[in-house]
Amino acid sequence: RPRGILKAPMHLSALLFVSMAAAASCFLPGSPSPPLEFPRSVSSSSSTPLSCSKAFAPSALPCSTSSRLASFPWHRSASASNMRRTFTTRAGRERQGNIPCRMSLGDGSSGQLKLPCDLYDLESELKLAVKLEDYGKAAKVRDELKKAREGDEVAKLLLELGESVNKQDFDKASAIKQKLSDAVSSRSLGVMEKRRSARVNRLLVMTREGKLLTCRPDGGSIVPVGNSMDKAQFLQPTWSPGGDLIVAAKIEIPPDGKPLKIKESVIEIFWALDGTKLVEVSAPFIPFYYFWLPDSRGLVYLTTYADGPAQAGWQVSMDILRVFAGDERGLLPSGSIMHLEEGAPLFVCPSPRDKRILMHIGNKQKVAVIEPLSLDGQEVILSSRPGAFRCPQWFPIKGENGEELVAFVERSNTGDSQFVVVADANKGESKKARRVLTEIEGFATITVSPDGQRMALLARLKRNLAETLSIMDGPFELSEDPWPVGSTILSSDDREEKIGPRRRVLAFFWSPDSRKLLWLSAPEKDDILAASGGQAEIFWEVYDTLTGRSVRFEHHMPSQTVLASYLPFFDQYALSHAVWSPDSDAFCYAGVGMDGAAGAWVQELPSSFAESPPPPRLVISGAETVSWSQC
């Protein structure tokens, strides 16, 4: 029997929680303001100076989120059935009947494609063959790998770049790097625009020790990311849209082992294919959230700092890091950082089409759109009366007349009511360019499906914690018809029929095919305490919008980092951290299963929602976070 209590290391979740606490401060009245510090300068590890003018580091707060949940066994001895081989041969995968890599085409069909996901497997097979001194096998795999690289533009250019650098042909290397930037950008845009794109289909895992790796959904073909021998630890790993790059913050644990004193970090960007480093930038703050620009030439991140005396409270800073120099290379060189905006709380949603960013800044009372890295870009104020909500949403498709639609919550002129509003991102606060979707009471959380045809809405009342999770059907337009839209209630405390104790919705995520909604729920606090240390009934559930059927999965306990840092802001993380597989037939999560095993899990959906689901599969033991590549 498993023994012990769930005691994941505090330092990772504590550091993330510290940073995210600032974003939630306006919803937690009476929160103390920590001591603040203003660093005089910011320096980069590269020769290019940073252009960031404001970078601040917060002091730390203890993380106690897990104490609100029931205790849970967290580990069991590894058995033969749970051991995972680092390398799996292609013959072994064929015996297991794994589905080959596929590529989605613009017409919705799919064609066989062995790249780039088979590149990972071939690299693993080559390393294994060399390790076993099977040089005949190694030679065959080497030739197959060379042929595979020729079929993938990014892999081919990476190889050519390495050869040019080794030969000290730096002029050629410079030209190859520009081609490499274009190839990465093209692949990312293809994914964002749902055009033809290469298939990655891999998991990005952060372990309890703060190490990073990627692997196949079955746990095979592991690729370490970064220097695994380094004593530093990583935070917030995030895939790029095309799956070519990974960004994470790196922190150095002090000799006294007290991570809450850490203020400095390094932003590192890696090639996902082999885990090698591309960009490294030092800054005296710890980012707590990243999202990539659609072309992957740059990324935007959030961190915390304070401007002024301690009583003024924390501020969230939004900065942009240039990964590759593109058309705007003269404005912001590669490896440089530029400050964009600040506020508390500050939530963002990137445009699915360009570099514009939709923002909600609480203390500035505005919902607005900005365009970074643009000399002629102007801020467009959409609302000066934001309601009680976190993250605004950008619709992936345009309106019937070409409007670029966004959704947010807005208070009435009198302030005694609030509404979910759909507006044109280009028209400001014009009454003719907006439409009220529905009136909503309490705190609201909204997420738009990837096809823009549905919206999930969670409304929670503060006075009695009553809540309702519902799905609203589109199409969402600014015209009179087809308003009002229909809706389906998935969970509500107002229902007359009560099945078991009341539950709280912790998070919900749309599947890539926009057909299914995945949501996580837990008993109310009193129900958890009544369990007297037993297993908390926290479980995933999937609702199929086409059939109206739901399926419930085994209960588990999310990891401490997920509990403290991801779930409280799930609508923000849903924009950059995928829990669903690209094919919408499985999802991943990190936590402790029913049998006490802790790590990264993959849960496949049943072939029919009338059937019982298969049990979840533990793919990486000891994982603290996991996310799926977007393609």
Side-chain angles (χ1 to χ4, degrees):
R1 299 288 297 173
R3 297 179 179 177
I5 301 298
L6 176 62
K7 291 184 178 179
M10 290 290 291
H11 51 273
L12 294 177
S13 57
L15 285 168
L16 294 176
F17 180 77
V18 165
S19 298
M20 295 301 289
S25 59
C26 76
F27 303 126
L28 298 173
S31 298
S33 298
L36 306 169
E37 198 171 312
F38 178 78
R40 292 171 178 260
S41 63
V42 181
S43 61
S44 170
S45 59
S46 65
S47 58
T48 305
L50 295 179
S51 54
C52 175
S53 60
K54 293 184 178 180
F56 299 78
S59 298
L61 288 177
C63 173
S64 59
T65 305
S66 61
S67 64
R68 303 172 191 168
L69 300 170
S71 59
F72 208 84
W74 68 273
H75 187 68
R76 64 179 176 185
S77 300
S79 61
S81 61
N82 290 326
M83 296 299 289
R84 303 287 174 182
R85 289 187 299 170
T86 301
F87 305 116
T88 303
T89 63
R90 176 171 297 178
R93 285 186 284 113
E94 291 173 351
R95 286 195 298 271
Q96 296 169 10
N98 284 356
I99 299 175
C101 303
R102 306 188 72 85
M103 175 178 70
S104 298
L105 305 181
D107 58 2
S109 62
S110 61
Q112 291 285 4
L113 182 68
K114 294 183 178 179
L115 302 171
C117 52
D118 263 16
L119 283 169
Y120 292 93
D121 298 330
L122 290 170
E123 291 275 9
S124 296
E125 290 177 30
L126 180 59
K127 292 177 182 177
L128 180 60
V130 172
K131 183 177 181 180
L132 298 177
E133 298 184 358
D134 186 350
Y135 298 119
K137 173 67 173 177
K140 293 180 181 179
V141 176
R142 176 202 60 199
D143 294 340
E144 191 174 356
L145 180 59
K146 181 179 179 180
K147 183 179 180 181
R149 283 173 174 157
E150 289 296 322
D152 182 83
E153 188 69 13
V154 173
K156 180 178 71 174
L157 289 171
L158 271 174
L159 184 62
E160 292 177 1
L161 179 63
E163 293 174 348
S164 298
V165 172
N166 290 335
K167 295 178 181 178
Q168 297 188 0
D169 189 350
F170 299 123
D171 290 335
K172 184 177 180 180
S174 178
I176 293 174
K177 187 175 181 181
Q178 184 58 48
K179 291 181 180 179
L180 188 57
S181 169
D182 295 338
V184 170
S185 176
S186 177
R187 185 134 71 190
S188 289
L189 291 173
V191 172
M192 296 297 292
E193 298 170 5
K194 307 297 187 295
R195 293 185 287 104
R196 179 180 300 190
S197 61
R199 179 66 179 273
V200 178
N201 194 29
R202 290 179 69 83
L203 302 177
L204 173 58
V205 174
M206 183 184 78
T207 68
R208 256 195 231 107
E209 294 75 26
K211 305 304 179 183
L212 302 182
L213 61 92
T214 70
C215 66
R216 288 201 314 262
D218 64 0
S221 185
I222 292 177
V223 176
V225 177
N227 185 0
S228 60
M229 303 302 293
D230 196 340
K231 293 183 180 180
Q233 298 182 352
F234 290 99
L235 301 169
Q236 295 291 309
T238 306
W239 286 105
S240 67
D244 290 309
L245 302 172
I246 294 169
V247 62
K250 185 176 76 172
I251 58 172
E252 298 284 348
I253 301 299
D256 61 7
K258 296 181 179 179
L260 295 183
K261 294 182 179 180
I262 298 174
K263 295 180 180 179
E264 294 185 355
S265 70
V266 176
I267 301 173
E268 294 192 350
I269 298 173
F270 305 94
W271 290 106
L273 189 60
D274 57 10
T276 57
K277 190 187 305 181
L278 170 65
V279 175
E280 177 180 299
V281 178
S282 299
F285 47 78
I286 301 177
F288 60 80
Y289 178 76
Y290 301 95
F291 70 83
W292 290 83
L293 298 180
D295 61 3
S296 290
R297 294 185 186 273
L299 60 88
V300 175
Y301 65 90
L302 303 181
T303 184
T304 52
Y305 74 92
D307 190 2
Q311 61 267 25
W314 286 4
Q315 294 283 303
V316 177
S317 175
M318 178 170 64
D319 303 328
I320 186 168
L321 168 63
R322 169 59 77 187
V323 179
F324 294 107
D327 296 337
E328 308 88 349
R329 69 189 69 180
L331 182 62
L332 186 62
S334 176
S336 294
I337 294 176
M338 183 171 68
H339 176 68
L340 298 178
E341 182 60 278
E342 72 282 328
L346 193 159
F347 294 96
V348 295
C349 180
S351 166
R353 288 173 288 275
D354 49 43
K355 297 180 177 65
R356 287 175 298 166
I357 301 170
L358 176 64
M359 310 177 301
H360 168 211
I361 306 180
N363 64 339
K364 294 184 177 180
Q365 289 292 295
K366 69 177 181 180
V367 175
V369 174
I370 63 170
E371 184 173 4
L373 302 182
S374 175
L375 294 175
D376 56 353
Q378 296 181 353
E379 181 180 74
V380 179
I381 303 294
L382 301 178
S383 176
S384 56
R385 304 189 310 275
F389 80 113
R390 283 189 300 263
C391 192
Q393 298 285 302
W394 207 305
F395 282 83
I397 59 175
K398 294 186 178 182
E400 58 184 4
N401 296 316
E403 305 96 340
E404 296 196 80
L405 301 179
V406 297
F408 52 90
V409 178
E410 184 177 56
R411 290 179 287 107
S412 63
N413 291 325
T414 59
D416 55 358
S417 58
Q418 63 177 14
F419 307 89
V420 178
V421 173
V422 174
D424 188 340
N426 300 313
K427 301 295 184 179
E429 296 184 272
S430 170
K431 294 182 179 179
K432 296 181 179 180
R434 65 180 53 221
R435 191 107 189 134
V436 171
L437 176 58
T438 184
E439 183 175 359
I440 187 168
E441 187 177 2
F443 187 85
T445 305
I446 55 177
T447 62
V448 175
S449 62
D451 64 1
Q453 297 301 311
R454 294 183 176 91
M455 180 188 295
L457 173 62
L458 176 66
R460 178 174 296 151
L461 298 178
K462 185 176 181 180
R463 60 176 180 270
N464 60 2
L465 296 181
E467 66 178 29
T468 299
L469 174 63
S470 60
I471 294 177
M472 288 177 282
D473 299 319
F476 302 100
E477 302 286 356
L478 298 182
S479 59
E480 292 290 340
D481 294 324
W483 305 84
V485 297
S487 65
T488 302
I489 295 178
L490 303 187
S491 174
S492 176
D493 294 326
D494 295 329
R495 293 180 303 178
E496 294 182 0
E497 72 276 8
K498 296 294 181 182
I499 304 176
R502 296 206 310 182
R503 301 186 62 80
R504 298 275 70 84
V505 175
L506 302 180
F508 50 91
F509 306 91
W510 284 104
S511 61
D513 64 6
S514 300
R515 173 175 172 172
K516 298 172 282 288
L517 186 71
L518 172 69
W519 54 293
L520 183 68
S521 67
E524 286 190 319
K525 183 178 180 181
D526 292 342
D527 297 316
I528 297 177
L529 296 178
S532 301
Q535 294 183 353
E537 292 285 330
I538 299 178
F539 53 76
W540 293 103
E541 189 168 349
V542 172
Y543 174 77
D544 186 348
T545 59
L546 295 187
T547 65
R549 290 180 176 269
S550 296
V551 60
R552 182 177 295 180
F553 302 91
E554 287 186 6
H555 64 259
H556 75 288
M557 174 62 73
S559 72
Q560 189 160 355
T561 299
V562 172
L563 283 170
S565 303
Y566 286 73
L567 293 183
F569 311 94
F570 72 89
D571 48 338
Q572 181 68 81
Y573 281 100
L575 300 173
S576 56
H577 291 66
V579 299
W580 280 95
S581 69
D583 290 331
S584 303
D585 57 0
F587 60 90
C588 63
Y589 59 92
V592 184
M594 289 182 62
D595 58 0
W601 300 79
V602 168
Q603 174 66 67
E604 296 179 352
L605 302 189
S607 56
S608 169
F609 276 33
E611 302 174 2
S612 298
R617 185 173 65 250
L618 179 66
V619 294
I620 297 292
S621 297
E624 190 71 11
T625 68
V626 59
S627 61
W628 221 305
S629 59
Q630 297 182 38
C631 62

